[in-house]
């Protein structure tokens, strides 16, 4: 039971972190430094690109059309949205599959539901991990490409948050999956113990129900001499 609670806390924390990456601004960031202060900071996410000057004023431009976007941005959008949706369904199944709740049926049924929740969370973590890695790969490939003359960016904070959330989802989902094996072992032990008890009780009943057919012994007077 403690393992499932730990797994639920890990997966919920990971899902919250993955969900927070979608509205986060700094997926990639670049700055132009002057002699004294930073003159401008360029940053972008999955929805817009912005520039912030030294006074703190930001000018943003939304991406004009979804069909005109680069393929990697569309893929990252789909993967991150899928990760958030899968995490939601995983949290529902995980809550039902926990032994501390009164819904979900017997312990064996709850273990199966918890295992399903673990698989969903693992898939959610893989989607988030793939989306963040794909975006980071594009940034690093452009940064180290000497023939790329446009504005070069570095990895933003949202990518690290997404990687951390994906790791928590995968770890918690794995713990959920192992809970079904632990439940099957405990049920087998309980069955074996009950079987031994029933055998001993049946033997006791049979022994007590059989009448004692040993003939009584008669002693005469010479036996005490």
């Amino acid at each position: 039971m403690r393992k499932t609670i730990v797994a639920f806390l890990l997966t919920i924390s990971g899902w919250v972190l993955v969900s927070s990456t979608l509205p986060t601004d700094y997926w990639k960031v670049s700055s132009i430094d002057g002699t004294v202060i930073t003159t401008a900071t360029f940053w972008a996410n999955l929805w817009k690109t912005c520039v912030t000057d030294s006074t703190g004023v930001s000018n943003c431009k939304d991406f004009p059309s979804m069909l005109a976007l680069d393929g990697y941005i569309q893929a990252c959008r789909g993967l991150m949205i899928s990760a958030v949706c899968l995490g939601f369904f995983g949290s529902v199944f995980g809550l039902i599959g926990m032994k501390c709740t009164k819904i979900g049926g017997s312990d064996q049924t709850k273990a199966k539901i918890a295992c399903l929740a673990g698989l969903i969370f693992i898939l959610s973590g893989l989607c988030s991990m793939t989306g963040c890695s794909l975006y980071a790969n594009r940034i690093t490939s452009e940064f180290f490409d000497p023939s790329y003359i446009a504005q070069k960016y570095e990895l933003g904070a949202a990518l690290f948050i997404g990687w951390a959330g994906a790791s928590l989802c995968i770890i918690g989902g794995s713990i959920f999956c192992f809970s079904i094996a632990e439940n099957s072992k405990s049920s087998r032990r309980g069955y074996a113990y009950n079987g031994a008890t029933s055998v001993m009780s049946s033997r006791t009943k049979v022994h007590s129900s059989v009448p004692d057919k040993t003939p009584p012994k008669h002693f005469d007077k010479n036996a005490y001499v």
Side-chain angles (χ1 to χ4, degrees):
M1 183 176 176
R2 293 180 180 178
K3 291 183 179 180
T4 55
I5 294 176
V6 172
F8 185 75
L9 293 177
L10 288 176
T11 50
I12 289 297
S13 301
W15 177 55
V16 170
L17 289 177
V18 170
S19 301
S20 66
T21 58
L22 283 175
T24 303
D25 294 331
Y26 297 100
W27 277 66
K28 59 181 181 179
V29 61
S30 178
S31 60
I32 299 177
D33 298 328
T35 56
V36 179
I37 60 174
T38 300
T39 58
T41 300
F42 297 87
W43 50 272
N45 55 14
L46 298 177
W47 317 102
K48 60 187 176 181
T49 178
C50 300
V51 58
T52 304
D53 57 15
S54 58
T55 61
V57 178
S58 298
N59 294 319
C60 297
K61 179 182 179 183
D62 295 332
F63 293 130
S65 174
M66 185 181 69
L67 299 178
L69 288 175
D70 294 333
Y72 79 99
I73 295 181
Q74 295 182 9
C76 291
R77 281 184 179 182
L79 289 170
M80 297 304 295
I81 293 174
S82 299
V84 174
C85 295
L86 288 171
F88 172 76
F89 290 109
S91 61
V92 173
F93 285 114
L95 185 62
I96 296 174
M98 295 179 67
K99 293 183 179 180
C100 57
T101 58
K102 296 183 179 180
I103 55 177
S106 61
D107 290 342
Q108 293 182 353
T109 305
K110 282 180 171 290
K112 294 179 181 179
I113 296 175
C115 182
L116 177 61
L119 293 176
I120 294 174
F121 273 119
I122 290 174
L123 186 58
S124 174
L126 291 176
C127 288
S128 177
M129 187 77 70
T130 304
C132 294
S133 300
L134 181 63
Y135 199 92
N137 179 66
R138 183 60 179 262
I139 295 174
T140 54
S141 62
E142 291 178 353
F143 186 85
F144 293 105
D145 188 5
S147 61
Y148 186 77
I149 58 176
Q151 181 70 33
K152 294 185 178 182
Y153 292 88
E154 297 181 1
L155 303 180
L159 295 176
F160 298 99
I161 296 174
W163 282 326
S167 301
L168 291 178
C169 287
I170 293 173
I171 294 172
S174 301
I175 298 175
F176 265 129
C177 290
F178 286 127
S179 65
I180 187 172
E182 182 181 356
N183 184 76
S184 62
K185 289 181 180 179
S186 60
S187 62
R188 288 178 182 177
R189 291 175 182 174
Y191 177 77
Y193 179 77
N194 293 331
T197 306
S198 61
V199 170
M200 292 297 294
S201 60
S202 62
R203 289 180 179 178
T204 305
K205 290 180 181 179
V206 171
H207 181 73
S208 60
S209 62
V210 175
D212 190 5
K213 297 181 180 180
T214 304
K217 295 182 180 180
H218 299 281
F219 301 96
D220 54 1
K221 297 179 179 180
N222 296 327
Y224 298 97
V225 179

